[in-house]
Amino acid sequence: MTTEQLDDIDLAILRALQDDARLTVKELAAKVHRSTTPVFERLRRLETQGYIRRYVAIIDADKVGQGFMVFCRVKLQHMNRAIATEFTRYISSLPEVTECYNVSGGYDYLLKIYAPSMSDYQEFLLNKLGAFESLGSVESTFVMSELKHDYSLPF
């Protein structure tokens, strides 16, 4: 099912949950102007079909001592299926890496990394990311301030 196959009620449910995933089914039903049972059934279908992957709390990185954010571009020495699979498995095991994208251009991957400080990031870079055997090069961009951070999708 694609967004073309979702009706206006399904889209309204998804939009409402993007704003507040803690809504009860009753509150969600009121927002989309429907009764609770059909909204509950739609919600379960949207979850089952993978439109809703999971529900999360968005934590303030500064308040938990992880406010040093870095975007790190990674180039591997060689690229093939086995190395890409190994890199994916390795990166998935590192809690400092919160996002990882396989990208085109001069680098193979773009990582979003959180650390308490510059020295902690350096330690991560040397002892964790640098421990990956096929690592070729990295380029780090340090975030000075966050201007927009929105998890909502435009649909």
Side-chain angles (χ1 to χ4, degrees):
M1 185 177 266
T2 63
T3 52
E4 293 85 35
Q5 295 170 314
L6 295 177
D7 65 19
D8 290 341
I9 304 303
D10 293 329
L11 294 173
I13 289 170
L14 293 174
R15 285 185 193 105
L17 289 173
Q18 281 191 141
D19 290 337
D20 184 358
R22 293 184 67 193
L23 291 172
T24 65
V25 174
K26 183 178 180 181
E27 292 167 330
L28 186 56
K31 284 198 175 283
V32 300
H33 311 291
R34 295 292 184 265
S35 60
T36 56
T37 300
V39 168
F40 177 79
E41 291 168 358
R42 284 173 180 263
L43 185 58
R44 291 297 162 246
R45 179 177 48 78
L46 291 166
E47 291 169 347
T48 302
Q49 292 177 346
Y51 286 95
I52 300 169
R53 294 193 316 201
R54 66 183 181 146
Y55 299 90
V56 298
I58 301 168
I59 308 300
D60 185 311
D62 287 324
K63 292 188 179 193
V64 294
Q66 295 292 318
F68 189 74
M69 187 190 332
V70 182
F71 288 97
C72 179
R73 287 167 295 286
V74 173
K75 180 147 187 73
L76 300 178
Q77 291 175 359
H78 308 284
M79 178 60 96
N80 62 37
R81 185 175 306 278
I83 291 171
T85 301
E86 182 184 348
F87 184 76
T88 300
R89 186 173 31 253
Y90 185 66
I91 287 300
S92 296
S93 75
L94 302 175
E96 297 89 346
V97 178
T98 60
E99 297 176 42
C100 175
Y101 303 94
N102 180 217
V103 296
S104 64
Y107 290 88
D108 300 313
Y109 295 94
L110 176 64
L111 312 178
K112 184 177 182 182
I113 300 165
Y114 284 93
S117 66
M118 173 73 86
S119 61
D120 289 294
Y121 175 69
Q122 181 181 26
E123 188 73 21
F124 166 82
L125 194 59
L126 295 173
N127 296 318
K128 290 188 177 180
L129 189 57
F132 188 75
E133 195 170 306
S134 295
L135 185 70
S137 63
V138 299
E139 183 178 303
S140 302
T141 301
F142 306 104
V143 175
M144 296 188 305
S145 66
E146 187 176 285
L147 305 178
K148 181 179 181 181
H149 193 149
D150 191 349
Y151 292 98
S152 298
L153 296 175
F155 58 87

